[in-house]
Amino acid sequence: MFRPALQNVDLLRLILWCWILLPEAVCSSDVDNCHEVKTAYMMRQIGPVELVPDKPATGESLRVCVHPGPSCCTSKMEDSYMAAVRSETQQKMRSYSFELKYLIAGHAKAFQETFKSLVSFTSNLTSSLFDSAYSTLSSDCRPLVSRLSNDIKLHLSGEPNSSLDHAVHRFYNDLFPLVYQRLLNPGMGRASPKVSPSPSPSSSRDDCLRMTRQDVSPFGPHPRLLVGSLSRALGAGRALSRLLGLAGEVVNVTEKVGLSRECGRGLVRMQYCSHCRGLTLIRPCTGLCVNIMRGCLVGVSELGSPWGSLVVLLQRLAAMLATSSGHNSMELALLAVRNHVNDAILHAQLHGPRITATVEKVCGPQVTSRVMLSVRPTASDVTTSVTPVTTSVTLVMSPWTLHPSRDPAIYQDLQLQSRRSLPLKGSRADKPRSLKKLARELQSSIQRYQWFFSELPEMLCESEMEVEQHTCWSGEDVVESYADRVVGSSLKAQRENPEMTVRNTDPVLKGAKQRLGQLTQELLVELGWASRTRSREEEEEGGSGHRERGSGDDCDDEDGCEGSGQENGEDESGGMSSGRDPDAKDAPPHRPPARPRGPSPPQASSTDSQY
């Protein structure tokens, strides 16, 4: 009866000596063959399955998955694992950034289409002014209006070299010869277009009129008022276009960034070195994954802070467009271009004698035909112009008809009539998508991506930790928990990464980080928000805490959200031709949104909503 007991004792001793003297892999039952490794190798399409040995072997010159004892890996398999793990990681990064990329590209395109629609409507509306009220200028003014509209479109698209001041002044410079020779002095003949290939006496005089327009000031303060109106109202749209353009570039850069060889070695140790031991189902430890992913994506993580600032600024700009009203409304400012041009021509007509005298001193006198003068406007001087938007009454006077000092009452009445010509709203067919609705969509959708690049390493690791296990792979062996320290994601912290050596970030990502910071700061200065932003940061550092702000996402009625513009600081003056240029007010900054846990797809919305 003692013989079976003695046999059991001998068996236990054999097992004990096996564990002490021989490697773990030899004693384990899963290394008798490499069938599971070959299956996993084939299922993941890592490389030719012929590279996987049938049984574990020793003596392989492994560079990454080095351990004593037999192994199911070869040096060629390590190379295949290296290429596969890099491709897998980049594919995961693209899958996570796909929704963000789609959100940015979709909204950038939608905003540009909306901007172009508004500007095209403004162009047609302004051209109709010349067709109905100033028919003698109509044919030659259409190209001028078209070029001004194209300049405004370029400005709203974020073109770096565009200038509203230059565009508006060029429009009035080209308009002055036409107004001078067709309205103020109709007997002087036809003004020559600026595209004349060879110089002539008329073209030389036109050039003189163009060059002296700002000195003569025939249109009074109206060119300056138009520049101020458009600059205030279009500033948010232009800044938003520039930010969306740069955001799309940054996302594309992060998708194309290459992973270093040191990163590839770390990823192989994390995901595939366990296969060499026959352990194809065990998951890497969370700490191991975070350290390796943060080391691989240290350049991407460095984008986190400037990217977060860009997202906050995008939210503020979207809130401004969504809640703007009155003088701050882009729609009203664009529609008011017609009124500004009409007031400018009216001003020139009312100051005809002074303008003509000044021009003759600078450009010399010119023989004129007989001109019929009248002291007061007649019935033929009053033109009723019917536009697709409103019915406006515009007074077109004969040269030298009135002067403000001669009859102030009539002058004030003419100014009042010019105010009534302002169209307030376009037809529904002219607006493919509501600007306010579009801005609200962006404001609510972009918030969840504020910390996207900072949290990308952790998000990639979450996909690896889907199954909860009591043991995990530490990169070298099976353990119950990860023993090394998990370091931060900054470049300075990564220099102490226990899993891989991190020296510098990718130069392309470093350049993207610099562009993000520069553009954000530049736009804050242009919008007058830089000082407010610094004050907010100092206040938060002093322990004021993070306060939630109302983003207006729950407001569906656009007219009912107008009041929230006061909170965002959009109660700026300017936009209408009122004869004065009031100062604009700075907008107080928004509080940054709460940190989201992970990205989620943007919400789709209807494109049939109206202003």
Side-chain angles (χ1 to χ4, degrees), residues 180-182 184-190 366-371:
Y180 183 80
Q181 298 184 15
R182 309 274 182 84
L184 303 187
N185 299 280
M188 287 186 175
R190 189 177 184 84
Q366 182 171 331
V367 178
T368 61
S369 59
R370 184 177 180 183
V371 180

Side-chain angles (χ1 to χ4, degrees), residues 23 83 107 130 189 229 314 319 326 332-333 343 349 354 357 368 381 404 414 421 480 495 512 514 528 545 580 587 611:
H107 279 86
F130 293 101
S229 169
L314 273 176
L332 292 181
D343 287 351
Q349 289 179 306
R354 178 188 62 81
T368 61
D381 296 324
L414 295 179
S421 66
E480 293 184 359
R495 298 190 189 280
Q514 186 176 4
R580 63 187 183 91
Y611 298 115

